[in-house]
Amino acid sequence: IPRKPVDHFPDPSGKEKSARFSDDVKDGGSGSLSVAGDDDDDASASSHKRRVTQLLAPPPGSRYAKVAVLGAQDLAAPHLFGTSDPFIVAQVFWNDEKVGETDTIWMSQTPKWENNRTNSFQCPLWASEAQNSKLARLKVCLYHAHRRGLGHFLGQIQMNWADLNAVKEGKAKFYKLQKRSAANKASQRMVQGEIRVAVAFSTEAGEKKN
């Protein structure tokens, strides 16, 4: 992943927009991710729209997988990263195409992304099982970040079509962060802990499948 400047950092005041999940999801319970549309301002809606991949967009009426990155736990301690401004960000890939990335937030061992709209991503599904079996692949990569760009790799999760089908009802779940199979050990020494993700299938963007 090329290093690039991080274009947004947390508000020093610590104020964040309210979450769009039910209370039990926000508090770490077993609630479900809603794929219904939200009434946010135009700027938020525009930001959300840009997070729908254009390279793989199917015709109108196709199904989508809505992927929400909610948080992580048991990560490496922030002081180990050697910077005075440790942040954290997750990047989301669909069929090896980058869909987008989460908000960049302050690094902690238990970070939480609390804005549903800016930390959810619509990933297109295809008409046939054969196409989905081949193309519907999710990868979420977690990184330490600083003001110069991306820092340490913190781990990743990968889900194929069978994995996605097993969790398609939107229930938030922790997944163990994995190392890259082809990368050297030194670049993966900070990989530990789990990331919390919810996946919900819909018949159209913003409409939950019955």
Side-chain angles (χ1 to χ4, degrees), residues 99-139:
V99 178
E101 59 187 40
T102 64
D103 296 334
T104 302
I105 61 175
W106 291 106
M107 175 74 186
S108 76
Q109 290 183 281
T110 57
K112 292 182 180 180
W113 285 272
E114 297 185 331
N115 188 321
N116 183 9
R117 181 166 292 280
T118 59
N119 298 294
S120 296
F121 308 87
Q122 291 176 347
C123 304
L125 301 176
W126 286 265
S128 71
E129 285 292 311
Q131 287 175 304
N132 284 316
S133 295
K134 181 179 180 181
L135 299 172
R137 300 191 307 274
L138 173 68
K139 179 168 67 175

Side-chain angles (χ1 to χ4, degrees), residues 94-179:
W94 186 251
N95 189 23
D96 296 326
E97 298 280 356
K98 184 179 176 182
V99 178
E101 59 187 40
T102 64
D103 296 334
T104 302
I105 61 175
W106 291 106
M107 175 74 186
S108 76
Q109 290 183 281
T110 57
K112 292 182 180 180
W113 285 272
E114 297 185 331
N115 188 321
N116 183 9
R117 181 166 292 280
T118 59
N119 298 294
S120 296
F121 308 87
Q122 291 176 347
C123 304
L125 301 176
W126 286 265
S128 71
E129 285 292 311
Q131 287 175 304
N132 284 316
S133 295
K134 181 179 180 181
L135 299 172
R137 300 191 307 274
L138 173 68
K139 179 168 67 175
V140 182
C141 299
L142 195 61
Y143 290 92
H144 153 251
H146 45 69
R147 296 188 184 278
R148 297 182 302 278
L150 294 180
H152 293 277
F153 173 69
L154 302 181
Q156 66 181 19
I157 62 167
Q158 299 186 79
M159 301 176 72
N160 59 26
W161 179 234
D163 298 328
L164 292 165
N165 262 294
V167 296
K168 64 184 180 182
E169 299 304 322
K171 183 177 180 181
K173 182 178 178 181
F174 279 103
Y175 299 89
K176 184 178 179 180
L177 288 162
Q178 305 288 341
K179 296 180 178 180

Side-chain angles (χ1 to χ4, degrees), residues 20-210:
R20 291 289 180 177
F21 299 97
S22 60
D23 290 339
D24 53 351
V25 172
K26 288 188 292 183
D27 295 337
S30 58
S32 297
L33 164 68
S34 171
V35 296
D38 296 312
D39 293 326
D40 267 65
D41 54 37
D42 292 340
S44 295
S46 176
S47 173
H48 180 62
K49 185 176 181 180
R50 289 196 300 272
R51 291 171 182 271
V52 180
T53 177
Q54 298 301 310
L55 295 176
L56 302 174
S62 299
R63 293 183 299 161
Y64 283 79
K66 183 174 181 180
V67 179
V69 180
L70 305 175
Q73 65 182 14
D74 301 325
L75 301 181
H79 71 269
L80 297 176
F81 294 99
T83 59
S84 60
D85 55 354
F87 301 100
I88 190 168
V89 64
Q91 296 184 341
V92 177
F93 297 82
W94 186 251
N95 189 23
D96 296 326
E97 298 280 356
K98 184 179 176 182
V99 178
E101 59 187 40
T102 64
D103 296 334
T104 302
I105 61 175
W106 291 106
M107 175 74 186
S108 76
Q109 290 183 281
T110 57
K112 292 182 180 180
W113 285 272
E114 297 185 331
N115 188 321
N116 183 9
R117 181 166 292 280
T118 59
N119 298 294
S120 296
F121 308 87
Q122 291 176 347
C123 304
L125 301 176
W126 286 265
S128 71
E129 285 292 311
Q131 287 175 304
N132 284 316
S133 295
K134 181 179 180 181
L135 299 172
R137 300 191 307 274
L138 173 68
K139 179 168 67 175
V140 182
C141 299
L142 195 61
Y143 290 92
H144 153 251
H146 45 69
R147 296 188 184 278
R148 297 182 302 278
L150 294 180
H152 293 277
F153 173 69
L154 302 181
Q156 66 181 19
I157 62 167
Q158 299 186 79
M159 301 176 72
N160 59 26
W161 179 234
D163 298 328
L164 292 165
N165 262 294
V167 296
K168 64 184 180 182
E169 299 304 322
K171 183 177 180 181
K173 182 178 178 181
F174 279 103
Y175 299 89
K176 184 178 179 180
L177 288 162
Q178 305 288 341
K179 296 180 178 180
R180 292 171 172 151
S181 58
N184 62 67
K185 291 183 179 180
S187 68
Q188 304 190 87
R189 66 183 186 276
M190 296 295 185
V191 176
Q192 66 178 63
E194 300 174 310
I195 189 169
R196 191 166 185 246
V197 173
V199 178
F201 286 6
S202 64
T203 52
E204 293 185 58
E207 180 183 346
K208 188 173 181 180
K209 182 184 177 184
N210 293 325

